[in-house]
Amino acid sequence: MCDKKQQFNRDEHQHLRYNPLRDEWILVSPHRSLRPWSGQVEPAPTEDVPKFDPNNPLCPGVTRPNGMVNPDYESTYVFTNDFPALLEEGPSPEPSDDPLFQMQAAKGTCRVICYHPHSNVYYTNLTDQQVVTIIDEWINQLKELGQKYRWVQIFENRGQMMGCSNPHPHCQIWASTFLPNEAKIKDANLRRFYEKYNKPLLIDYVEKELVKKERIVYENEYWVVVVPYWAVWPFETMVLPKKQIERFTDMCCIGKKTLATTLKVLVAKYDNIFKCKFPYSMGWHGAPTGEDLCTPQPHWTFHGIFLPPLLRSATVKKFMVGYELLAQSQRDLTPEKAADILRSQPNERFE
Ligand SMILES: O=C1CCN([C@@H]2O[C@H](COP(=O)(O)O)[C@@H](O)[C@H]2O)C(=O)N1
């Protein structure tokens, strides 16, 4: 007798999920993590960061290795990276007519934004207004650099696991004359969706997620945090606006205030999972700038992206190696389970 055809259950059975932002698939293997959630909480070594370190080149009043003296800044502070990956000037390579050996000019600038003069603060113990000040700085930088550069990537690496070399609260900006790969791939897929459905993909997506309520981590008047249906990293999240905006610079005052609250809550939830400073790379994507400032980019919706590596504890991370590098991304923990775990965390960070 043939066995009863098993009913597919996405929480139990292997399947592929489509990521429309990248036009790619991810393998989901929930059967591998059906065992009870074994997220043991091993408190990571608490990094007691002093408020001020006279040897930290990001601290106010300190002389950096290149001899520049930081001002006694009392809010955010921005300086050009002393070791930039992109320079504003430089010779361009000759064009090549060999399709296999192509080069292009690359110009840009790299900056460091210090969030606050004290080294022992972060979103979760800053006031909403202090976080709005950081958001205003991001917007000012995009306004300025976006006049000249096609892509202004604001990003933050948090924690040593993410290669963050300095505990002082800060982020980086790399602005480039070229559209980087991630932006180019996203632009093409967003444009294709918009041309087919006459609606921005991410607004259609956020509206459907608000109805499904299966992957929502947190929401308020203006923002929704979800673990994307197609998430690759275990606790990957997206910060999505409920109303269409193309760029950071389109944000209204309430949008900034509610985004500040959203950041504080999301980071608190992350840190509460394993009672540690949850490492991640995070950044913001919006419509390209530079020459694209002159034409409407209705296919683009401004959004935030958090890409954290931790899987089971403060010290056990997901490795994107082997199959993920040679075949395609794969995950055990489903996005829905990850969203449940994040949503169930308190909005305030553990003491
Ligand atoms: O004196 C310094 C120290 C660090 N930096 C820059 O600060 C950045 C620190 O950022 P990360 O910790 O995310 O790597 C890094 O890009 C590094 O180049 C300076 O520009 N000057």
Side-chain angles (χ1 to χ4, degrees):
M1 184 177 81
C2 68
D3 58 343
K4 185 173 163 303
K5 189 172 179 317
Q6 264 202 321
Q7 183 64 28
F8 173 75
N9 176 338
R10 112 188 134 189
D11 299 329
E12 292 176 32
H13 302 128
Q14 64 207 9
H15 58 281
L16 299 177
R17 291 195 191 192
Y18 179 65
N19 177 349
L21 294 172
R22 298 184 55 85
D23 187 23
E24 66 181 23
W25 294 83
I26 169 174
L27 171 59
V28 183
S29 318
H31 53 286
R32 282 178 70 189
S33 58
L34 277 184
R35 56 187 174 285
W37 167 245
S38 58
Q40 70 271 29
V41 177
E42 308 139 4
T46 46
E47 299 157 20
D48 280 337
V49 178
K51 184 166 139 181
F52 176 73
D53 172 358
N55 300 312
N56 185 326
L58 269 54
C59 284
V62 173
T63 303
R64 301 204 301 270
N66 69 354
M68 300 289 286
V69 182
N70 293 339
D72 265 331
Y73 62 94
E74 297 181 350
S75 177
T76 53
Y77 169 54
V78 185
F79 63 92
T80 300
N81 201 310
D82 299 319
F83 315 95
L86 282 164
L87 295 167
E88 298 203 76
E89 297 305 331
S92 298
E94 290 301 315
S96 150
D97 53 13
D98 186 326
L100 299 182
F101 298 90
Q102 289 291 314
M103 270 191 194
Q104 262 193 7
K107 294 192 177 57
T109 188
C110 300
R111 293 182 179 174
V112 178
I113 302 182
C114 297
Y115 289 162
H116 187 276
H118 299 166
S119 297
N120 59 347
V121 298
Y122 198 56
Y123 299 123
T124 44
N125 61 3
L126 286 176
T127 64
D128 283 5
Q129 186 46 49
Q130 286 171 320
V131 180
V132 167
T133 300
I134 297 167
I135 293 169
D136 279 333
E137 191 61 72
W138 286 333
I139 292 170
N140 293 339
Q141 293 298 313
L142 178 66
K143 265 191 194 128
E144 178 203 337
L145 295 169
Q147 293 304 314
K148 181 175 179 183
Y149 295 106
R150 186 101 190 277
W151 189 258
V152 181
Q153 186 56 61
I154 299 169
F155 68 95
E156 177 185 342
N157 298 322
R158 186 193 193 204
Q160 285 163 354
M161 193 184 277
M162 299 310 282
C164 177
S165 62
N166 192 308
H168 190 86
H170 71 282
C171 73
Q172 296 192 51
I173 301 183
W174 293 15
S176 57
T177 49
F178 57 90
L179 207 51
N181 293 338
E182 289 303 307
K184 205 179 285 180
I185 292 166
K186 196 169 268 188
D187 184 68
N189 287 299
L190 289 172
R191 194 184 293 276
R192 183 166 44 248
F193 185 93
Y194 190 83
E195 282 164 1
K196 186 169 179 182
Y197 300 104
N198 197 31
K199 184 168 187 182
L201 184 154
L202 286 176
I203 291 299
D204 196 21
Y205 177 66
V206 75
E207 288 171 355
K208 287 172 178 167
E209 287 289 28
L210 283 166
V211 170
K212 291 173 180 296
K213 298 191 190 313
E214 297 169 311
R215 285 167 293 274
I216 292 179
V217 170
Y218 167 77
E219 67 167 295
N220 59 29
E221 185 188 351
Y222 270 68
W223 302 94
V224 191
V225 180
V226 296
V227 176
Y229 178 78
W230 50 79
V232 167
W233 291 95
F235 291 99
E236 175 179 340
T237 54
M238 281 177 88
V239 180
L240 291 159
K242 289 184 173 178
K243 293 260 178 301
Q244 167 64 358
I245 49 173
E246 292 179 8
R247 298 187 183 91
F248 238 148
T249 40
D250 303 330
M251 214 182 302
C252 65
C253 177
I254 298 285
K256 290 193 276 190
K257 284 204 181 84
T258 46
L259 183 60
T261 308
T262 303
L263 283 172
K264 284 159 64 84
V265 167
L266 178 55
V267 172
K269 285 179 176 289
Y270 271 138
D271 288 6
N272 285 336
I273 300 178
F274 302 128
K275 302 284 184 292
C276 73
K277 258 181 73 171
F278 211 72
Y280 51 69
S281 279
M282 65 79 69
W284 304 97
H285 275 181
T289 46
E291 63 200 55
D292 288 331
L293 277 175
C294 318
T295 50
Q297 306 284 320
H299 55 299
W300 271 94
T301 301
F302 169 78
H303 60 284
I305 304 150
F306 281 75
L307 304 170
L310 291 188
L311 174 61
R312 288 205 180 291
S313 77
T315 53
V316 174
K317 69 186 282 286
K318 162 83 181 165
F319 287 90
M320 293 296 180
V321 294
Y323 188 82
E324 281 93 353
L325 293 178
L326 295 167
Q328 73 179 39
S329 302
Q330 182 276 342
R331 64 182 294 138
D332 301 345
L333 183 72
T334 61
E336 294 74 29
K337 280 216 173 21
D340 288 347
I341 291 165
L342 267 169
R343 185 172 51 249
S344 68
Q345 301 301 324
N347 288 0
E348 299 288 327
R349 190 180 192 269
F350 70 96
E351 288 302 321

